[in-house]
Each structure stands twice: as structure tokens, then as C-alpha cells.
Amino acid sequence: MEVPAELAGGKDAAASLPSMSQPIPVEITVVKAQDLKTLKSNVLVTLVRVEYNGEVLGDSPKTDVLPSGTAEYNFSTSFECSPDGPNSLDVIVQKPLLLTVLEVGPREKKKPEKITPLGQAVVDLLPLLQGVHSLKVFAPLYAVPASSSEKLHPKATGGLEVTVSTKELLLSATQFSSGNLLSITMEAAYSVPGVFTVEGQQNYMACLQIPAAGEKELLLLFQNGILKADGEKEPLPRPKNWPLGTILAPGALAIPNSFIVGGPYEDEDGDLTRSKDREFRRQAESTKRIVWDTERRCYLDAAAVAVASCICFVPSLQKRIAECHYWPVELCKMSMASGGKGKTSKADKGDEDKQIAFHGVAYVNMMHLLCPGVKQIRGAFRVFSYQDSEVFEKTRIQHSIFRDLRSQLSLAKEGLRTSPVSRAAPTKAQKEDKDSSGTAVEAYEKCVTSVAAAILREYHELFGKQLPGQGMIDHGTLEEQRRQLNYELNTSGKYFAFKEQLKHSVVKIVREKYLKTEAFENQGQLQEFLSELYVFLVGHMHIALNKLLSGENVSSTPTPCTTDKQLWLFAREAEANRDLKLASLFYRQRIAQDQCSIQSWLDYGAFCLLHEDATKAQECFKKALCLDPQHTQSLLLCGIVAVKLQHYEEAEIFFEDACCLEPSSIIAWTLSGLFYELQNNYIRAERNFREAKKLLQAQLEEERRILEAAEAEGKKPSTAPEEIPDGSADKLPEVVEGVTSKEEATALQEALEAPCPAPGPQPPPCTIFMKTVEFLMKVNAVRFVHKALAHELLSLQGGPTCAYYLALAWTYLLQEDLPRCEECVCEAIRIDPTNPNVWAQKGHLCYLKKDFDKAKNCYERVISFVEDAVDMHIVYLRLGSIYLEEKEYGRAKQIYLLACDNSASCLTWLGVGIACYRMKEMEEAEDALSEANALNNTNADVWGYLTLICLHGGRQLEAEQCYKYTVKLGLQNSELLQEIHTTQSRFGFGNPSL
């Protein structure tokens, strides 16, 4: 099955090299450092650490730094280059010398000297293989990022004077001319599948095999690919990176004078060079992608390069290309737990494939390299799911690198090994690589563990725990206990619940590991796949059960199936439905999943500030502040809640700290000004407002400068905020027909008859108070919103704006003052009748007033706009519920499916399931309800509709199980409950449990 992805990379053969017979010492002398003061102005004493291939060769003596910034080291060390040793010619080709300048702090009483990294430099040793005896370079020093208390100079010009030499040539002239250098650059993987997420501590890797002398194969590994989200595409040209692991100075990763330059798609050698592929590639290169930008070089001796003669059976590069045009480049997502070890752990033995979450392969056509004059291949190649039969058919290679040859990768030697300094000071990139959850296979194993633990608890409740000294239970007793346990699980509905729980993780494996998303062509293919899947699932079930029973890797609480984002969405839904108890539960579940998440604490605090009590909100905001004392938003929220609790001295400290910590924050200065105004300190309030306005003016000037520059280059934006989008003229009569009041009709008519706005952007007036209102609305700070809006009203020249009335309407809606809310919404409509947020607010107002006809008209208008409203999810949910109530099931299904595409939840899939059930689409209904159940298995309505579907399908036992869960969860929908009883009677089933 084809995966819609492309693997961009380059290969070029240039230069020359081969092998030697005896070890040759490589002497390194660090002469001196220059301009160290540009790295840190007050540096006094330093030393240099020399490392090669992951090993520390030595530290120089401590040296004083002269006032000019120079430090004289004159330190020498060496390593041996030998064909069979750790530092072979192939290592010399691809790994640079690493030099770290360390600052030595003053010795404190009874404490060792503090040694901290200051800068790093790299030296490329490739010239030693190209006929050079001695190499003298000035290696630039790249600054190591300082801590929050240490500030480095932004323009560091320091460097190290280094000499590298050998007593004899590493390669003779004959060897030099008969070999070749192969360099492979892995740029990026684009349009990656959904399994490539930031929800796990993963290593994104690519690898391929290169033939060398004899029977030897070189395995070239590209690892630690960086997952990048949507945004700007990678710039061109951009530097290539060394294949190093952890490095303290990110700037030192770039290979000097080596760049990715790109070029027209039509000139490439890959799979996607046609004109119809151009748009796909343009979009893919600016969306989610895995970026390496790493170059690997390997030397090929004469035997590996030359064409094999009739008496020489040595596999060669040319012979390999001639025999098989395509070479496989494997791509995988692998758990860092196994990726960072040199050998497999005890738990991994016999299960090498366990940690691979995604396994793909690209087929690169190497025939172009055999053409005269061709030295390079570059292109984008499609990635397919790794299937052994397909790989063998195309490449004649029988072994997978990641699955079958993992032990040969020697991952610890591929750059993951770190120096003592590196281990002591992990980089920011390392910290960002740590994610929250694992792979589809791991999720299945954890689900099995969770179900097994639940069944074990059921057993203990029925029969008690078996103590070690009580002896063995006889076979007859075990059989009776098994029978009773099965009866209890079936009659209580728990068996069905466990099955539903496992179903979701199995679906993820099918979609994300096997990449099966389409129907099978025939029954034979289906049965073959089911057999393969069954074997795989049973094997991993045994792994999970063995871990559970042996007590290995079993946490006290199972990994949650729902993500942080999903729980936040569920909480918002419950809040919109006025189910505050359920909303509070979801907010608390988010915190329970990750108590170190600042945003989870802030969101729950904002909920408490509005719906529960300010004291609880204060606890949440202070907890967030404890996690990061320099988090500006937490400081501001602590100040807001302190004002609500009338702790004014404490509030002043929080607001002042926020302004000091982030002096460029418009919101911090404005909020601080509003606070001082509450204290009648008008002088300080005005001072803070003036500072905020100055910052805003500077921001607007910068935006204007960028806009003018774009206009000068002919890139002027053409759509103003108030402009009617192209093609919308056909929709105007429909919009007019849906107007719900005379005032709205008049406002819309005036807008349509008005002359077209002048070309170019015409943004609404931007003030410090409206910027602050946007922030305050997100955190439910109603009192401060009113204060800011009062200032906004006084500062405006042409009267209140649409944004002003929308914010004011929001405050009245929270206070359930519906008449005032309606007045504000009508004013907003009069000012800007083409704003989707205005109509969404009008729809919410009508919905709460139970005027569902008007609410439907408003919501339909919202979804007809090209631009989405801010809270489209709630719009979809409420419009779908209106359609269901009015028995417009086809429309309801489409709206709920839109909601699922936008942000799926239990309620959106429940809506799809109800609509499909009403239209007699039972199979689709059950699929939708299963999706809903996987997201939240505590929704009584989902179990109720599953009961109805099972009854219609004649599945009495499953219907009883679902119904028992419906009752246990306390179904409040009396109509649904009655329908279940009616349906049961109509199909002639008994009534023992229903």
C-alpha cells in the first residue's frame, strides 16, 4: 500500500580514498584561542577538551585568559587511525574533531571547581585522506547557550587555532586515485502519516546499505530527525549537518562550506517531477515534516568501486547498481528506549520489532550514476509500507535494516554517545524531544494490561486473593471459578466494554502499523491479513501479560487513551452544555494526566474563576507559577485573582513582576494600569497605559514597514477584512432571506449597497485595551473586561467597534443577562454583518433562549462564510442537535461529520451515530458509536444507542450488556429509555434484564 509521502535526499560521488595496513597516529595540537571575550566578557580561566568519535582524548591545563581575549594552550594529544580499530578511514571521512572550551570557575571552600562549557568548535579531517600531511585551521567557536542568569554576547567571533598532522599519508597516491567518496544527504520526509506525532519520545530514522570491500556492507544511519509542524518551508540554501548526536553548541553542527541548494523539480531524479506533482510538493514542504539535513560520507576502496571481473567475485558498487537498479532506503519511527542502546535489553530479546511504530521504504533508482559524467542524484522519492516480498522483488535484498539487522547498527557509536559535559548539560532540543505517549503497538499492549488488571480485580472481588502459603488450587475449582467469572463479566456488560476498549487500539494498529485504510479486493486477501494480524496481536498480548504478571514496567495507573487536547475539548463541550460538574471532571483529568502542564492548571483555574470559587482558582494559578516562576501569563492571572480576593498588595507584586519580566508585553502593562486605576492611583495607571501604547505603536510601525516592503516587491495582499470573498455573490440572496430582524436586514442591505472598499488591507482599529480584552476573555476575567471596555469606549474616535460589542455581549451572556446581550449583538451585526463571529454569538443567544429556528438560521449563515468563527465546534454541535430535533437526519449527519473532521469528540461521533441510526444505516451507526465509545466510555447515551442497534441486529446478549451499562451510567434521556423498551418488545425478546 502506498503511503502519500516523499523522501527527499541527495547522493553524489566526488573525491577519492581507500585503505591502509598499519595504524597511523594522528597528532592534534590546540595552539590557542582568540576573542574569547566575545563569548563571555568576564571569562578568566579556561581549558580545552579534545574529543573524537565519542571518546575524550584529553584536557589541556588550565590557562588564564589575557585581557585581549586570547588563551595560549599549546596542548597536544593524539589517536590512532587503523583499518580494524574504532577510528577507521570511514570514521575519519564522516566524523569531525570536537573541541570544547570550558570555563573554570573560582574554587569555593570545601567545593570543587565549577567547570562549565563556553563554546565548541569542529575540525573536518577529510583533507587528511586527500594527500595532506598536515592541516592547520582556525576553527570558529560557537557559543553554548547560556543559562537564564548568564548572558552571552550575540555576535561571538572567537575561534581556536588547531594543527592536525600525520607522520605519513593515510592513503598512498595509488590508493587515493583508485577509490571514491560517496556522500549521502538526507534532507526531509514530507507529507508524513498521522503516526508521526509529537506524542511520544521517538527517534525518526532513515537507513540504507552501501557495498564495501569483500562481503562487507556499510549501514548508513540518519537518526534524530526533527518533527516540524506547519509553517514556512525550509530555506534555500541551508547548511548540511554533521551526523553527530548530542552537541552543546547547535551552531557547530553545520558542515563548513557544505549547503543544500535545491533546484527546479523538473531537474530532479526522483518520483515526483511531473507538473501535476508541483502543487502537492509545494504544500507538503510547508506542512508537517521530518527534517534531518544531514550528510553522511563513506569511503569506497578500489574493490568496492571497480567493476567485478570474471575472476573476482567481490560485490562492488557498479556491479550492484547494474544488477539491481533500485536501492531501498528504509524509514522508521522507533522508540528512543531501544534506539539509544548499543545492544538490545533483556526485555527486547526475541522481540526486535516491538519498538518500531512505522516502517516504510523508498526505492531510489541508482542507474543514473552509471551514466558518463553523472556524479549526483537528487530527488523526492515516494515512501511505501515495508513489505518483505515487495522489497525483495525490487531490490533482491532479503533483510530489513531496522528489523533484522538492528544489532549491526551500533546506535551507541552512531552519535548518541555523549561526553561528560554533554551529559551534564542537555540541550534544549533534547528536552523538546521528550514527548508524552507511545506508538500504536505500545497503546495496544497498555490496553491489554489495563483490561487484564481489571479482570484480575474482578477475580479478587469474587474469590479473594490467593496467599502464597495456601497451596495450589485444584483443576476443578479453577474451572468453576472461570465459569463464574465469565458469567459475571457477561451479565454485567463488562465483557462487551472490554472488547470495545480493545477495538480502538486494534484499529490504530491496522491503520498506523499495517497502513490498511482501504477495503480488500477479495475475501482471500482479507483472510490472509486477518491471520497475520491475529498472530501479531496474540504475540503482543502475551508480551503485555508477561510484563503484568512479572511486575515489569507496570505503572500504578494505565496510560490514558485520551490526549490533553481531547480532554480540553470535552471540558469545553460540557461547559457549553451547562454540565459544570462534568466539565470540572475533565479539567481535573487533564491535570491528573500531566501535573507539570502549566496550561492545564491555568485552564482549570480560569474555569474555577468563573464557575466555582476564586480561592480554588488562586491555587491553580499559583501551582502554574511554581512550575515556572517566570511565566508571565501565570503572574498576570495570579494578580487578577488576587484582586478578586481583595489581596491588593499581593496583586501589585504580581503585576509589577510581570512587567519587569516581560517589558515588551502590551497586555502586562495595560493590566497593570487597570489595576492601579482600581486603586485610584491614576498617575501610575497613566504611566503604564502610555508604555503599552508606545509598545503598540512600535509594533504597528514594524508591521507597516513589512507591508510597504511587500508592496514594493509586488506581493501586496489583496483581500481586506471587510471585503466579500470572490464567488460569494451567488450566496447573497440566500443570506438576505435568512435575516431574522428588521435591524439586521437594514444593516445587511446597507453593507451590500455600499461602494467597494479601497484595495489593500483595512484592519479594524487596534488599541491596547482590545488586545487586553482578547486575553481576558480567554481567562474569564469579567471584571477586568468591563474596565478595559470602558477605556476602549472613551478612546475611540468613530464610536464603538464590532469587536467592542462582541466582547460586551460575551460578558452579558456569562452573566445570563440575555436582553442586554441581544442589544449588543444587534449593534455588532449593524456594524459588521459579514463577520462570522457575530452570527455565531447571535446563534448562541437564540439557542439559550430556545428560539431554535432563529438559532438554526444564524448557525447556517456562520458555516456559509469562507472564514470560520472562533468557536466552530460549538456551532457544529448545536446546529447538529437542532437538525436531529427537526428530524433532518441527512443534514445532521453532514454537520456532525464536519465537526469530527474539525475536532472529533464523543459527542460529535454520537451525533453521527444517532443520525445514521435514524436513517437505518446500522453499520455506519455502530462504527460511529464505537468511535464515540473509544473517546469516552462513560456516556450513557452512547450505550443506549448501541443497545438499540444490537436489538435491531438480533444480538440479544450484547444488547443486554450495553443496556446494563446504560443503566449503570444513569441515562437521563427518558425518550431513549422508552424507545429501548419498545424496541425490545417489538422484536419479541424477553424482559429479564431490560
Side-chain angles (χ1 to χ4, degrees):
M1 177 181 173
E2 181 178 327
V3 179
E6 57 182 81
L7 187 64
K11 301 178 174 36
D12 62 295
S16 316
L17 30 132
S19 59
M20 55 189 169
S21 55
Q22 298 297 323
I24 298 176
V26 178
E27 298 286 341
I28 301 119
T29 301
V30 183
V31 182
K32 63 181 177 179
Q34 297 180 11
D35 294 332
L36 288 180
K37 298 288 186 179
T38 64
L39 291 172
K40 189 176 179 182
S41 57
N42 60 348
V43 61
L44 298 177
V45 181
T46 62
L47 60 88
V48 171
R49 174 166 295 165
V50 183
E51 297 173 71
Y52 192 68
N53 195 18
E55 298 292 339
V56 176
L57 302 181
D59 290 352
S60 73
K62 300 167 195 171
T63 304
D64 293 332
V65 178
L66 301 177
S68 62
T70 302
E72 299 283 346
Y73 297 114
N74 294 316
F75 168 69
S76 296
T77 185
S78 66
F79 68 86
E80 285 191 340
C81 176
S82 62
D84 300 319
N87 302 317
S88 63
L89 288 181
D90 191 60
V91 174
I92 298 290
V93 167
Q94 62 182 313
K95 293 192 177 180
L97 191 68
L98 184 62
L99 309 166
T100 308
V101 175
L102 304 172
E103 180 186 12
V104 182
R107 183 186 298 274
E108 296 180 10
K109 188 176 182 181
K110 297 183 179 180
K111 288 186 179 180
E113 292 173 323
K114 182 180 180 183
I115 296 179
T116 56
L118 191 65
Q120 283 187 317
V122 292
V123 177
D124 190 356
L125 301 182
L126 180 62
L128 295 179
L129 304 179
Q130 297 173 321
V132 175
H133 263 300
S134 180
L135 183 66
K136 186 175 183 179
V137 297
F138 180 79
L141 270 172
Y142 297 92
V144 174
S147 67
S148 58
S149 61
E150 298 172 322
K151 303 297 180 185
L152 295 181
H153 289 231
K155 294 183 179 179
T157 58
L160 290 172
E161 188 176 317
V162 184
T163 301
V164 183
S165 61
T166 57
K167 293 183 178 179
E168 57 181 289
L169 289 175
L170 297 183
L171 293 175
S172 66
T174 303
Q175 291 172 325
F176 179 84
S177 59
S178 62
N180 212 329
L181 174 71
L182 183 70
S183 69
I184 296 101
T185 301
M186 192 66 63
E187 296 179 19
Y190 296 113
S191 188
V192 294
V195 71
F196 285 67
T197 66
V198 295
E199 298 177 358
Q201 188 179 358
Q202 305 297 323
N203 191 353
Y204 299 103
M205 299 189 290
C207 191
L208 73 159
Q209 301 179 58
I210 300 294
E215 296 295 326
K216 182 182 177 184
E217 293 278 342
L218 296 176
L219 303 181
L220 298 187
L221 179 67
F222 299 84
Q223 58 183 359
N224 300 323
I226 300 171
L227 177 65
K228 292 193 176 182
D230 296 358
E232 295 295 325
K233 62 185 297 185
E234 305 305 313
L236 289 173
R238 61 184 186 273
K240 297 179 182 180
N241 295 326
W242 291 106
L244 297 175
T246 304
I247 193 166
L248 296 179
L253 272 176
I255 302 175
N257 303 315
S258 185
F259 297 91
I260 297 169
V261 296
Y265 296 147
E266 305 83 57
D267 297 342
E268 293 180 356
D269 305 294
D271 302 328
L272 301 166
T273 58
R274 297 169 299 180
S275 57
K276 67 178 183 179
D277 298 322
R278 199 172 300 159
E279 181 60 21
F280 164 72
R281 292 190 62 178
R282 186 186 65 78
Q283 293 179 2
E285 289 172 6
S286 59
T287 54
K288 187 168 68 172
R289 58 205 182 274
I290 307 297
V291 177
W292 288 275
D293 285 349
T294 299
E295 181 185 74
R296 294 294 303 263
R297 304 184 296 210
C298 63
Y299 97 87
L300 302 174
D301 60 17
V305 174
V307 178
S309 67
C310 59
I311 58 172
C312 179
F313 297 95
V314 177
S316 67
L317 181 67
Q318 292 179 331
K319 181 174 181 289
R320 176 70 62 83
I321 295 174
E323 288 176 346
C324 190
H325 302 172
Y326 292 96
W327 285 18
V329 180
E330 294 185 44
L331 176 69
C332 93
K333 173 189 177 191
M334 188 178 292
S335 169
M336 289 288 285
S338 64
K341 297 178 183 178
K343 58 182 180 180
T344 56
S345 64
K346 183 179 179 181
D348 289 60
K349 288 182 179 178
D351 185 30
E352 294 286 328
D353 193 40
K354 171 183 159 187
Q355 301 291 345
I356 298 178
F358 172 88
H359 195 184
V361 61
Y363 301 102
V364 180
N365 189 348
M366 302 288 285
M367 276 296 290
H368 301 285
L369 285 181
L370 297 184
C371 298
V374 176
K375 296 183 178 180
Q376 173 176 291
I377 292 175
R378 183 183 185 274
F381 303 89
R382 292 189 181 277
V383 175
F384 302 84
S385 174
Y386 192 97
Q387 303 290 341
D388 291 300
S389 57
E390 293 179 8
V391 174
F392 179 74
E393 181 181 352
K394 280 202 167 190
T395 69
R396 298 301 168 192
I397 290 179
Q398 298 180 344
H399 302 290
S400 162
I401 300 173
F402 289 122
R403 192 189 61 228
D404 304 324
L405 305 177
R406 281 172 61 183
S407 60
Q408 298 180 30
L409 289 178
S410 301
L411 297 180
K413 295 180 181 179
E414 294 291 343
L416 291 183
R417 185 182 300 166
T418 60
S419 67
V421 172
S422 301
R423 286 195 294 269
T427 64
K428 181 180 179 183
Q430 282 179 293
K431 294 177 182 176
E432 291 176 350
D433 284 340
K434 293 182 179 179
D435 302 320
S436 59
S437 65
T439 64
V441 177
E442 290 169 338
Y444 167 73
E445 289 184 4
K446 289 172 182 175
C447 194
V448 169
T449 302
S450 176
V451 170
I455 294 174
L456 197 58
R457 285 194 297 271
E458 291 290 327
Y459 176 86
H460 290 154
E461 288 178 9
L462 284 174
F463 311 111
K465 288 191 176 182
Q466 183 74 11
L467 299 177
Q470 291 180 343
M472 295 289 291
I473 302 176
D474 64 88
H475 179 71
T477 304
L478 278 176
E479 278 297 309
E480 179 61 23
Q481 288 181 349
R482 184 185 64 82
R483 189 187 64 78
Q484 291 185 37
L485 180 61
N486 283 340
Y487 176 80
E488 178 63 27
L489 293 176
N490 279 286
T491 55
S492 65
K494 291 176 182 176
Y495 168 79
F496 187 77
F498 293 151
K499 188 174 74 171
E500 288 295 311
Q501 189 176 341
L502 284 166
K503 183 192 293 185
H504 187 66
S505 59
V506 173
V507 169
K508 284 189 70 177
I509 286 175
V510 172
R511 289 176 179 170
E512 298 181 10
K513 178 173 179 60
Y514 287 92
L515 305 174
K516 297 291 184 183
T517 58
E518 297 178 356
F520 291 89
E521 294 180 2
N522 54 58
Q523 192 68 18
Q525 285 186 356
L526 174 61
Q527 290 302 323
E528 183 181 354
F529 173 74
L530 290 178
S531 299
E532 182 182 352
L533 178 64
Y534 176 78
V535 172
F536 179 84
L537 292 176
V538 169
H540 283 275
M541 179 188 73
H542 289 153
I543 292 169
L545 292 177
N546 288 336
K547 284 182 181 179
L548 174 67
L549 297 176
S550 64
E552 294 179 8
N553 302 326
V554 180
S555 58
S556 56
T557 56
T559 300
C561 297
T562 49
T563 64
D564 177 86
K565 185 179 178 181
Q566 286 174 326
L567 286 173
W568 175 79
L569 182 65
F570 300 167
R572 278 193 62 223
E573 290 176 335
E575 204 172 347
N577 293 333
R578 296 293 196 268
D579 192 343
L580 301 183
K581 185 178 179 181
L582 183 61
S584 178
L585 175 64
F586 285 131
Y587 279 122
R588 284 183 277 114
Q589 282 184 3
R590 282 182 76 202
I591 293 172
Q593 278 192 196
D594 184 5
Q595 296 198 10
C596 294
S597 170
I598 293 176
Q599 194 58 49
S600 296
W601 284 105
L602 296 184
D603 289 341
Y604 185 42
F607 171 81
C608 295
L609 188 64
L610 181 65
H611 297 293
E612 295 189 356
D613 62 86
T615 304
K616 189 178 290 186
Q618 185 183 47
E619 293 174 5
C620 294
F621 296 150
K622 287 190 173 180
K623 178 64 178 178
L625 194 60
C626 288
L627 292 172
D628 183 1
Q630 297 184 336
H631 193 251
T632 308
Q633 188 178 347
S634 300
L635 284 167
L636 293 175
L637 288 172
C638 284
I640 288 171
V641 77
V643 170
K644 188 175 180 66
L645 294 171
Q646 300 182 2
H647 301 163
Y648 298 117
E649 292 182 2
E650 188 179 347
E652 182 176 5
I653 294 171
F654 286 126
F655 287 128
E656 285 298 316
D657 283 355
C659 293
C660 292
L661 184 66
E662 194 174 345
S664 61
S665 171
I666 297 170
I667 293 172
W669 285 107
T670 307
L671 271 179
S672 181
L674 292 173
F675 164 73
Y676 283 122
E677 192 176 65
L678 282 171
Q679 299 299 298
N680 298 323
N681 190 340
Y682 298 108
I683 295 176
R684 297 194 70 174
E686 188 57 35
R687 186 202 69 177
N688 288 6
F689 291 151
R690 189 164 55 248
E691 182 65 26
K693 289 175 182 177
K694 186 169 65 176
L695 290 169
L696 177 62
Q697 185 63 31
Q699 186 184 86
L700 294 176
E701 287 294 334
E702 178 64 17
E703 291 174 359
R704 187 178 296 112
R705 186 190 64 77
I706 294 172
L707 182 63
E708 289 172 355
E711 289 176 349
E713 295 175 6
K715 299 178 182 178
K716 179 172 138 183
S718 60
T719 304
E722 289 83 10
E723 259 185 336
I724 298 173
D726 291 340
S728 61
D730 297 334
K731 300 179 182 178
L732 294 181
E734 178 184 332
V735 172
V736 175
E737 289 172 7
V739 173
T740 58
S741 70
K742 183 179 179 181
E743 292 84 0
E744 295 164 13
T746 304
L748 188 58
Q749 190 64 29
E750 289 175 358
L752 297 178
E753 292 175 357
C756 293
Q762 297 177 352
C766 181
T767 67
I768 61 172
F769 300 108
M770 288 311 296
K771 276 186 169 290
T772 306
V773 163
E774 290 178 9
F775 166 76
L776 293 170
M777 290 172 66
K778 292 177 182 176
V779 298
N780 298 327
V782 178
R783 183 182 181 186
F784 275 88
V785 170
H786 277 292
K787 291 287 294 180
L789 289 178
H791 274 279
E792 174 72 6
L793 190 60
L794 292 172
S795 65
L796 291 172
Q797 300 296 324
T801 62
C802 176
Y804 167 86
Y805 280 117
L806 268 180
L808 194 57
W810 172 82
T811 64
Y812 289 138
L813 198 65
L814 289 183
Q815 296 167 347
E816 298 185 1
D817 189 347
L818 300 188
R820 284 190 176 183
C821 178
E822 186 166 14
E823 290 174 8
C824 294
V825 170
C826 288
E827 285 298 315
I829 291 173
R830 181 185 62 78
I831 295 170
D832 189 0
T834 60
N835 188 331
N837 291 307
V838 173
W839 292 105
Q841 189 79 292
K842 175 75 173 177
H844 297 332
L845 176 65
C846 296
Y847 189 88
L848 294 176
K849 292 169 63 178
K850 301 192 183 302
D851 190 347
F852 297 122
D853 285 336
K854 287 186 178 180
K856 180 175 74 170
N857 290 334
C858 293
Y859 290 146
E860 286 175 341
R861 185 171 296 137
V862 172
I863 64 175
S864 71
F865 287 119
V866 175
E867 183 183 354
D868 283 342
V870 173
D871 57 347
M872 284 302 294
H873 188 77
I874 306 302
V875 170
Y876 286 139
L877 281 181
R878 289 180 171 173
L879 181 57
S881 69
I882 294 172
Y883 282 146
L884 286 180
E885 193 66 29
E886 295 183 351
K887 300 184 179 180
E888 297 184 58
Y889 302 124
R891 285 188 169 188
K893 178 182 176 182
Q894 293 305 316
I895 288 296
Y896 279 121
L897 283 174
L898 280 174
C900 291
D901 289 338
N902 189 49
S903 45
S905 70
C906 175
L907 296 186
T908 60
W909 282 115
L910 172 61
V912 176
I914 295 173
C916 291
Y917 171 75
R918 298 300 178 195
M919 292 189 295
K920 312 296 184 186
E921 298 172 355
M922 296 299 176
E923 188 174 342
E924 287 188 51
E926 186 168 5
D927 288 342
L929 293 170
S930 297
E931 292 285 347
N933 216 359
L935 290 170
N936 180 13
N937 63 359
T938 63
N939 188 298
D941 285 51
V942 174
W943 288 106
Y945 279 99
L946 282 172
T947 304
L948 288 172
I949 289 171
C950 292
L951 288 173
H952 279 279
R955 293 140 57 189
Q956 172 70 359
L957 181 60
E958 290 183 56
E960 290 179 0
Q961 294 166 350
C962 293
Y963 180 76
K964 285 176 180 176
Y965 254 79
T966 304
V967 174
K968 184 177 181 179
L969 293 168
L971 180 65
Q972 301 297 316
N973 190 335
S974 57
E975 293 181 3
L976 177 58
L977 198 59
Q978 181 60 41
E979 185 177 2
I980 292 173
H981 290 295
T982 304
T983 305
Q984 185 198 22
S985 301
R986 180 156 56 92
F987 282 96
F989 295 124
N991 195 30
S993 56
L994 299 192

